[in-house]
């Protein structure tokens, strides 16, 4: 199992070197908007899918070849990172070896009711749970959770984690047209957000092909209109990636392209920015791979 990928051009984080410790589409949700496609292994069982030492070896090898090529290390994958049982142990080891790089965990937040999961995340520099719905009907239709998950318990888990966590606590809200963009749902969502006091609320919407092809994102005007329901001064609308300096071109471009798109769909422009490869060369590579 390949445990790192990228750097991915992140709209939030810059050059984000992904850490992937969960097999593809192993998740506790089957969200209609997921850019990685439908969940194939819907589960809440935590497992050691990969040896933590392998992850460390992969990171050390990568930075030997590409020093100063990433701005942040991010647990993000085509699945839910908190399903990885040795997550806390691995985070502590990574922080020992890469003290200068912020470590971020992107999670759907569904397992924060588990005290072991909350403890595992305490050493991360930033944790970004998702919270798309706070009413049962919207939650079930939008996030399509594992049958054992209870929305009330999930919300209590978020509150418990916020109480103990001392790092940067951001909350991502994925807005999907016809699901959670109605005023009634947004007002109820705001009540919970005010209880959580996140350092920042990140409003996102569907910008890449979703699991459900009928799923539609909000336009720029619609996103601006719903901003009023969220805390002023600490709410950011996440826009499309703008591009930045890429890393030096290398001889493994084909494999890196495959690793990137296998986990996270990207446009040609995003891959150009991340890999530091001229667009015409990347298009040639894609043509060869296809």
């Amino acid at each position: 199992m390949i445990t790192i990928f990228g750097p991915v051009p992140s709209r939030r984080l810059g050059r984000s070197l992904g850490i992937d410790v969960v097999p593809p589409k192993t998740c506790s949700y089957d969200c209609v908007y997921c850019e990685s496609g439908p969940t194939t292994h819907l589960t809440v069982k935590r497992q050691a899918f990969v040896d933590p030492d392998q992850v460390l070896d992969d990171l050390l090898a990568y930075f030997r070849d590409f020093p100063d090529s990433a701005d942040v290390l991010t647990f993000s994958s085509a699945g839910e990172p908190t399903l990885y049982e040795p997550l806390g142990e691995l985070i502590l080891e990574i922080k020992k070896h890469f003290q200068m790089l912020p470590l971020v965990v992107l999670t759907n937040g569904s397992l924060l009711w588990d005290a072991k999961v909350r403890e595992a995340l305490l050493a991360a520099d930033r944790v970004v749970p998702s919270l798309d719905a706070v009413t049962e009907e919207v939650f079930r239709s939008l996030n399509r959770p594992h049958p054992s998950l209870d929305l009330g318990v999930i919300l209590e888990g978020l509150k418990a984690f916020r109480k103990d966590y001392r790092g940067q606590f951001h909350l991502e809200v994925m807005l999907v047209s016809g699901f959670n963009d109605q005023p009634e749902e947004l007002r109820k969502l705001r009540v919970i957000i005010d209880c959580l006091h996140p350092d920042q609320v990140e409003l996102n919407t569907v910008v890449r092909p979703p699991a459900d092809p009928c799923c539609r994102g909000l336009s720029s005007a619609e996103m601006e209109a719903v901003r009023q329901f969220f805390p002023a001064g600490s709410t950011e609308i996440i826009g499309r990636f703008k591009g930045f300096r890429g890393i030096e071109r290398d001889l493994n471009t084909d494999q890196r392209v495959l690793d990137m798109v296998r986990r996270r769909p990207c446009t040609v422009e995003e891959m150009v920015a991340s890999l530091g490869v001229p667009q015409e060369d990347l298009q040639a590579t894609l043509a060869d791979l296809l």
Side-chain angles (χ1 to χ4, degrees):
M1 179 176 172
I2 301 172
T3 65
I4 62 173
F5 62 99
V8 170
S10 169
R11 289 167 286 162
R12 290 173 280 189
L13 304 170
R15 298 173 300 167
S16 169
L17 186 66
I19 302 173
D20 188 356
V21 289
V22 178
K25 291 312 299 173
T26 298
C27 194
S28 52
Y29 287 172
D30 184 20
C31 299
V32 297
Y33 58 75
C34 186
E35 64 190 33
S36 299
T39 294
T40 54
H41 185 200
L42 187 66
T43 184
V44 293
K45 182 179 179 181
R46 304 182 73 214
Q47 298 181 56
F49 299 103
V50 63
D51 190 326
D53 289 339
Q54 180 183 337
V55 182
L56 285 172
D57 289 345
D58 289 348
L59 284 168
L60 290 167
Y62 173 83
F63 282 109
R64 280 196 298 268
D65 293 337
F66 307 106
D68 303 318
S69 64
D71 300 315
V72 63
L73 302 175
T74 307
F75 278 91
S76 173
S77 63
E80 171 49 40
T82 60
L83 287 169
Y84 182 60
E85 194 169 24
L87 183 60
E89 169 192 342
L90 180 56
I91 288 175
L92 290 173
E93 287 301 313
I94 290 174
K95 293 301 297 179
K96 288 179 184 177
H97 287 82
F98 304 98
Q99 297 179 19
M100 301 304 294
L101 285 175
L103 192 149
V104 177
V105 180
L106 306 181
T107 171
N108 63 25
S110 64
L111 302 182
L112 290 175
W113 51 266
D114 186 336
K116 292 181 179 178
V117 173
R118 297 198 301 271
E119 183 179 2
L121 296 176
L122 292 179
D125 297 293
R126 183 187 300 177
V127 176
V128 188
S130 297
L131 182 62
D132 306 325
V134 296
T135 59
E136 193 70 26
E137 182 180 359
V138 177
F139 174 60
R140 295 287 164 186
S141 61
L142 180 60
N143 297 123
R144 299 190 296 197
H146 187 277
S148 70
L149 290 173
D150 179 89
L151 178 58
V153 173
I154 290 172
L155 295 177
E156 289 304 314
L158 278 165
K159 294 174 184 177
F161 178 70
R162 182 59 175 132
K163 181 179 178 181
D164 295 336
Y165 183 59
R166 296 294 176 262
Q168 296 180 30
F169 181 82
H170 290 202
L171 197 66
E172 180 179 13
V173 180
M174 178 64 79
L175 295 164
V176 182
S177 180
F179 283 88
N180 62 345
D181 60 334
Q182 300 303 309
E184 182 179 359
E185 183 69 23
L186 294 172
R187 290 190 189 98
K188 293 176 180 178
L189 184 57
R190 173 63 185 270
V191 171
I192 301 300
I193 290 175
D194 285 345
C195 291
L196 293 172
H197 301 291
D199 297 305
Q200 184 167 299
V201 177
E202 300 177 353
L203 300 184
N204 210 340
T205 194
V206 183
V207 297
R208 297 186 177 100
D212 183 343
C214 296
C215 184
R216 186 181 76 80
L218 276 62
S219 68
S220 296
E222 289 169 328
M223 291 291 283
E224 288 293 343
V226 300
R227 185 203 286 263
Q228 64 178 305
F229 291 94
F230 297 91
S234 61
T235 297
E236 179 184 1
I237 295 175
I238 305 299
R240 290 182 181 274
F241 176 74
K242 300 298 183 182
F244 43 66
R245 177 180 60 84
I247 65 173
E248 183 178 346
R249 186 177 181 183
D250 64 275
L251 298 178
N252 297 312
T253 299
D254 289 9
Q255 187 59 51
R256 295 181 63 219
V257 167
L258 286 172
D259 290 344
M260 182 180 294
V261 298
R262 183 181 296 121
R263 291 172 169 85
R264 186 184 187 90
C266 295
T267 65
V268 170
E269 290 78 12
E270 288 173 328
M271 286 189 280
V272 166
S274 178
L275 298 173
V277 178
Q279 183 163 329
E280 58 271 21
D281 291 354
L282 180 59
Q283 288 174 330
T285 295
L286 292 171
D288 290 342
L289 291 174
L290 294 174

